[in-house]
Amino acid sequence: MGISRDSRHKRSHTGAKRAHYRKKRKFELGRQSAQTKLGPKRIHEVRVRGGNKKFRAMRLEAGTYSWGSESISRSTRIVAVVYNASNNELVRTNTLVKGAIVQIDATPFRQWYENRYAQVLGKKKRASADEEAKSAATKERSRHLQAKIAARKGEVEPALDDQFGSGRLYAIVTSRPGQSGRCDGYILEGKELDFYIRKIRNKK
Amino acid sequence: MSEQTERSFQKQEAVFLNAKGVTKKNTRWYKDIGLGFKTPTEAVQGTYIDKKCPFTGNVSIRGRILTGTVASVKMKRTVIVRREYLHYITKYQRYEKRHKNIAAHLSPAFIGVKAGDTVTVGQCRPLSKTIRFNVIKHTPKQTKGSKKFQTF
């Protein structure tokens, strides 16, 4: 392939040009990056040094995302890449990399929340009363369960609540899709969420 | 003064910022680097984020501990440390002066580091092409009659 990770081709700390005295070695090799896109799952297995495997995800559509403040994780569909601190090109081409801000499908988290706290999320956007009546927030529960639920505190910050209304949450990718074959991460909250929302809005 | 100057959100990896119902804000993670080196108060009380800081970041100090004088502070968060030594020439039974420059990462915990100050650096993992050391102690240069007016 021609990609090598040696430093013999670079100038030294003093600026001296280093003599080229040996060929490239296999242990210095580098491989093409997986520009992981959104789409039906396609993962290539690579045999790496020591006989181990790396899973190069070429296309992914879902991942496990954690809601930190509630300490839960759900597997969700990834909708779109929305911001990348390093390169706008990666946003335009919807490339999944570690540290990219993505939009994920909010339904598994909403269902979990409504089951646990019996409160409706994203109330402002949800127009029809039918939806509310059908949702898990208003289903039949035993008195014992209702007492347990009343004791729990379900508070969601307004920025997150709006996102639930639109059905899409902002999350950041924390796994390396080209190495592990997975696109996992956590949902943005608090100061981090404000920071990235501002960045996204400024770009538009 | 905000420390969010980059295009990605700067935070300490070891600190979870969004815990529910936790009132105490501004939790900061810091560590004692060992070997008897005091962790500066600015590291504990400051608000800077530096993943390469030995006190508040993800580097460990191990291996060699060297000292030298600061030659230049012109780089962002790094300094060049100059170490002088004498090399013996056997034929003439005399010494010659030699020096080596070391690039070391300077944590924002150390404020007011100027050229000429003495600095102790500890070895850490490679942080960049030439940086394998991290400043762990800083002693400002003592000028005689320092109560006199000094140019900044």
Side-chain angles (χ1 to χ4, degrees):
Chain A
M1 205 60 20
I3 303 174
S4 82
R5 294 162 34 246
D6 67 324
S7 43
R8 283 174 300 103
H9 69 278
K10 300 206 73 158
R11 287 186 181 253
S12 72
H13 182 31
T14 61
K17 204 168 173 71
R18 276 192 262 238
H20 174 247
Y21 69 93
R22 74 179 198 200
K23 295 179 164 191
K24 292 184 187 176
R25 295 285 191 268
K26 165 129 187 333
F27 55 77
E28 296 169 332
L29 76 74
R31 295 185 185 85
Q32 293 271 9
S33 68
Q35 301 279 324
T36 313
K37 304 280 189 290
L38 287 173
K41 179 158 65 166
R42 185 189 289 185
I43 299 180
H44 293 176
E45 222 176 79
V46 183
R47 182 204 179 273
V48 294
R49 190 161 178 84
N52 306 310
K53 293 189 180 141
K54 276 191 185 176
F55 301 96
R56 195 126 298 163
M58 309 303 287
R59 300 211 186 131
L60 286 174
E61 55 189 354
T64 314
Y65 286 84
S66 310
W67 191 352
S69 57
E70 303 285 346
S71 301
I72 55 147
S73 303
R74 291 287 179 272
S75 175
T76 20
R77 203 172 46 90
I78 303 167
V79 176
V81 175
V82 152
Y83 179 76
N84 187 308
S86 326
N87 193 348
N88 292 327
E89 178 87 24
L90 299 174
V91 179
R92 220 168 353 114
T93 51
N94 270 340
T95 306
L96 296 168
V97 283
K98 177 179 171 186
I101 309 298
V102 292
Q103 272 187 324
I104 57 171
D105 185 20
T107 42
F109 296 100
R110 191 169 39 79
Q111 283 167 356
W112 173 85
Y113 188 91
E114 292 178 350
N115 242 310
R116 182 175 168 78
Y117 294 104
Q119 294 168 15
V120 181
L121 275 177
K123 232 179 288 185
K124 289 179 209 163
K125 289 278 189 86
R126 303 266 229 96
S128 72
D130 285 339
E131 271 187 48
E132 274 200 40
K134 261 190 280 172
S135 84
T138 50
K139 74 172 183 204
E140 279 277 311
R141 288 188 176 93
S142 71
R143 274 185 299 134
H144 178 235
L145 189 53
Q146 279 176 352
K148 277 198 344 190
I149 288 175
R152 296 177 187 152
K153 265 177 56 172
E155 286 163 358
V156 181
E157 57 166 327
L160 260 186
D161 205 38
D162 292 337
Q163 289 178 41
F164 274 108
S166 66
R168 295 184 177 180
L169 298 169
Y170 285 127
I172 184 170
V173 179
T174 52
S175 69
R176 302 173 71 188
Q179 307 285 317
S180 61
R182 291 162 197 261
C183 190
D184 302 335
Y186 61 86
I187 294 175
L188 292 174
E189 295 179 90
K191 283 209 185 124
E192 243 185 301
L193 178 59
D194 297 335
F195 177 89
Y196 283 115
I197 285 183
R198 212 180 319 130
K199 287 277 187 229
I200 295 167
R201 207 180 313 129
N202 286 343
K203 263 196 8 172
K204 286 231 197 307
Chain B
M1 209 201 313
S2 174
E3 65 273 1
Q4 302 292 346
T5 50
E6 306 291 335
R7 295 194 59 194
S8 59
F9 187 74
Q10 303 294 102
K11 62 172 186 168
Q12 286 192 302
E13 279 295 320
V15 170
F16 181 59
L17 301 163
N18 303 309
K20 254 187 1 176
V22 170
T23 44
K24 202 232 171 221
K25 290 290 176 182
N26 307 320
T27 44
R28 189 167 176 77
W29 184 88
Y30 60 91
K31 71 173 179 213
D32 162 32
I33 60 172
L35 303 163
F37 288 100
K38 258 202 87 234
T39 141
T41 44
E42 176 62 22
V44 178
Q45 292 162 2
T47 55
Y48 68 86
I49 305 288
D50 184 8
K51 65 179 180 184
K52 300 179 181 178
C53 170
F55 309 104
T56 61
N58 186 17
V59 292
S60 68
I61 302 298
R62 75 282 184 284
R64 305 250 177 200
I65 313 286
L66 310 170
T67 59
T69 62
V70 176
S72 110
V73 201
K74 298 196 190 118
M75 291 188 278
K76 199 191 292 186
R77 286 184 176 174
T78 107
V79 289
I80 301 286
V81 178
R82 184 188 170 106
R83 301 183 67 234
E84 309 249 357
Y85 58 99
L86 294 171
H87 179 242
Y88 185 64
I89 310 290
T90 16
K91 176 178 180 187
Y92 295 103
Q93 295 175 334
R94 288 184 173 92
Y95 292 90
E96 64 178 5
K97 267 197 196 170
R98 287 190 181 185
H99 81 275
K100 282 280 197 307
N101 282 350
I102 296 178
H105 184 267
L106 179 70
S107 165
F110 298 104
I111 32 187
V113 180
K114 294 193 312 291
D117 296 349
T118 317
V119 121
T120 306
V121 289
Q123 190 184 3
C124 56
R125 65 173 158 87
L127 303 176
S128 85
K129 177 178 172 208
T130 55
I131 301 184
R132 283 101 175 90
F133 284 87
N134 221 315
V135 173
I136 52 183
K137 191 163 81 163
H138 164 239
T139 342
K141 181 164 157 199
Q142 297 287 23
T143 46
K144 275 193 291 189
S146 49
K147 288 202 179 134
K148 288 201 314 217
F149 175 76
Q150 278 178 353
T151 49
F152 283 98

